[in-house]
């Protein structure tokens, strides 16, 4: 039959498309990919709407036990649901290739992802360069490969969308060494941490990809009723409490007039913006 890759949108159970919902309801098994992003509602809500049990697919299952997901998909439809759009970030290429190898047709049902919803901040999607991921630095691992990409975008005057690390179901290495599998509590990188890391890398590299005074836009809980969008210098944004996850950050490139006008609305310390560092919800119907 069919393996459906279904985008769930960004916020809650209601963001799935009608097409996605009909597909889910036809499927015999429903998986929810739950490690590259989180839906801001619990899986119980999805189960109530779909009238189906939802199986949480963690990284280990998707990467090492893909066959299990596909088992039976030649006889009955299986849905693999992804927060955002199926091709937002992780494209689940492996799962698709395996399905095709087994002769199982793959159908995709799209929905909004941060890659397009980020336009809510007023910057034009056409003027974004390559997106980057910023991972949590550790004492021994401080990768800065994002720096070159930001610099390249900067030189072309393009904006950069920075996707911030989320750590869900990471094995506790100390426990693992003692032969026990224990998972660390989930961690979601805040905009503040991302900026600290960015500035640390700039201090090291000194090639001018950005500075304390570069313009950025912090975006928290996109599409949620309490979404928060704040524009300001990186130094200013460092002081803002963006609250609960998920967060992402945009480093602004050159601004067109209309982009500047839109961004003004979210700018910190201005009077035509709300000035309180919290401009939420005004652009959406919710
Ligand atoms: C940012 O500002 C801090 C404090 O004023 C300064 O120590 C640091 O060098 C600046 N970093 C960058 C990358 O400009
Ligand atoms: C997050 C988001 O935009 N989700 C959309 C998914 O599709 C449905 C139906 O088309 C929209 O109503 C949602 O807004």
């Amino acid at each position: 039959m069919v393996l459906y890759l279904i985008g769930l949108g960004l916020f809650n159970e209601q963001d799935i498309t009608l097409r996605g919902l009909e597909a889910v309801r036809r499927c015999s098994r429903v998986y929810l990919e739950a490690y590259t992003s989180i839906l801001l509602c619990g899986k119980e809500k999805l189960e109530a709407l779909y009238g189906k049990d939802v199986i949480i697919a963690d990284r280990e299952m998707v990467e090492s036990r893909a066959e299990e997901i596909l088992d039976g998909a030649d006889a009955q439809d299986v849905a693999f649901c992804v927060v955002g759009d199926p091709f937002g970030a992780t494209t689940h290429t492996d799962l698709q290739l395996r399905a095709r190898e087994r002769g199982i047709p793959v159908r995709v049902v799209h929905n909004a992802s941060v890659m397009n919803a980020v336009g809510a901040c007023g910057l034009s999607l056409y003027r974004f360069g390559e997106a980057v991921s910023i991972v949590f630095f550790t004492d021994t691992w401080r990768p800065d490969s994002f720096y070159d990409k930001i610099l390249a975008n900067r030189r072309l005057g393009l904006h950069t969308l920075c996707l911030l690390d989320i750590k869900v179901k990471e094995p506790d290495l100390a426990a693992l060494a003692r032969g026990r599998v224990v998972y660390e509590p989930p961690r979601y990188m805040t905009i503040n941490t991302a900026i600290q890391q960015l500035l640390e890398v700039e201090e090291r590299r000194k090639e001018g990809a950005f500075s304390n005074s570069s313009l950025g836009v912090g975006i928290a809980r996109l599409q949620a009723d309490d979404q928060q969008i704040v524009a300001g210098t990186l130094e200013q944004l460092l002081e803002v409490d963006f609250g609960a996850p998920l967060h992402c950050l945009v480093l602004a490139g050159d601004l067109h007039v209309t982009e500047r006008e839109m961004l003004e609305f979210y700018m910190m310390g201005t009077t035509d913006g709300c000035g309180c560092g919290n401009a939420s919800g005004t652009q959406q119907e919710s």
Side-chain angles (χ1 to χ4, degrees):
M1 295 286 282
V2 174
L3 170 70
Y4 284 101
L5 296 179
I6 300 176
L8 295 188
L10 291 166
F11 172 41
N12 66 16
E13 75 283 4
Q14 298 182 356
D15 284 334
I16 192 171
T17 61
L18 281 179
R19 190 197 289 246
L21 184 60
E22 276 164 19
V24 163
R25 286 184 169 155
R26 268 201 304 277
C27 287
S28 60
R29 286 202 313 282
V30 179
Y31 292 90
L32 173 64
E33 188 262 88
Y35 60 94
T36 57
S37 189
I38 54 162
L39 201 60
L40 301 173
C41 75
K43 92 166 177 145
E44 302 70 32
K45 291 219 170 132
L46 297 181
E47 290 179 327
L49 179 68
Y50 302 168
K52 298 265 155 131
D53 288 341
V54 171
I55 307 164
I56 299 287
D58 58 21
R59 186 185 296 275
E60 196 266 330
M61 180 186 276
V62 178
E63 289 177 0
S64 341
R65 294 189 284 142
E67 299 301 332
E68 200 175 298
I69 297 176
L70 296 176
D71 276 343
D74 44 356
Q76 288 167 308
D77 294 345
V78 170
F80 185 76
C81 300
V82 179
V83 177
D85 185 82
F87 303 116
T90 315
T91 53
H92 300 292
T93 318
D94 186 57
L95 190 64
Q96 292 186 64
L97 292 176
R98 280 167 196 254
R100 294 210 164 103
E101 270 164 24
R102 289 169 61 158
I104 302 168
V106 177
R107 301 236 196 299
V108 176
V109 184
H110 293 283
N111 207 309
S113 106
V114 64
M115 305 294 284
N116 63 283
V118 68
C121 74
L123 297 175
S124 164
L125 291 181
Y126 282 22
R127 308 194 59 254
F128 277 74
E130 197 174 348
V132 301
S133 295
I134 301 187
V135 299
F136 279 113
F137 283 178
T138 68
D139 293 343
T140 50
W141 196 57
R142 307 175 95 70
D144 65 1
S145 53
F146 54 77
Y147 188 88
D148 294 311
K149 295 179 184 172
I150 297 173
L151 187 60
N153 288 344
R154 171 78 267 180
R155 288 189 172 139
L156 293 169
L158 301 176
H159 317 306
T160 306
L161 170 61
C162 305
L163 299 170
L164 310 188
D165 204 2
I166 71 173
K167 293 240 177 290
V168 185
K169 224 177 167 197
E170 292 287 312
D172 177 331
L173 295 178
L176 205 57
R178 294 194 301 273
R180 287 196 309 135
V181 182
V182 177
Y183 296 105
E184 292 178 357
R187 283 202 300 153
Y188 307 97
M189 184 182 287
T190 61
I191 290 162
N192 317 78
T193 302
I195 293 175
Q196 277 162 12
Q197 294 194 180
L198 285 169
L199 291 175
E200 175 190 315
V201 172
E202 179 59 62
E203 298 227 325
R204 190 157 72 229
R205 301 277 299 259
K206 292 196 169 61
E207 293 166 58
F210 42 81
S211 72
N212 279 328
S213 55
S214 296
L215 183 61
V217 189
I219 303 170
R221 300 171 303 287
L222 196 52
Q223 181 80 95
D225 296 335
D226 66 342
Q227 81 172 19
Q228 195 177 355
I229 301 178
V230 183
T233 65
L234 294 185
E235 203 165 36
Q236 285 174 320
L237 295 181
L238 209 43
E239 306 303 323
V240 177
D241 178 2
F242 283 92
L246 293 177
H247 293 184
C248 67
L249 172 70
V250 177
L251 298 171
D254 299 340
L255 296 181
H256 279 180
V257 180
T258 47
E259 290 181 309
R260 186 174 296 283
E261 271 172 11
M262 286 295 292
L263 217 50
E264 278 300 318
F265 184 77
Y266 299 111
M267 204 70 83
M268 286 182 73
T270 55
T271 43
D272 53 344
C274 80
C276 56
N278 182 355
S280 59
T282 44
Q283 289 208 283
Q284 358 191 48
E285 39 90 64
S286 54

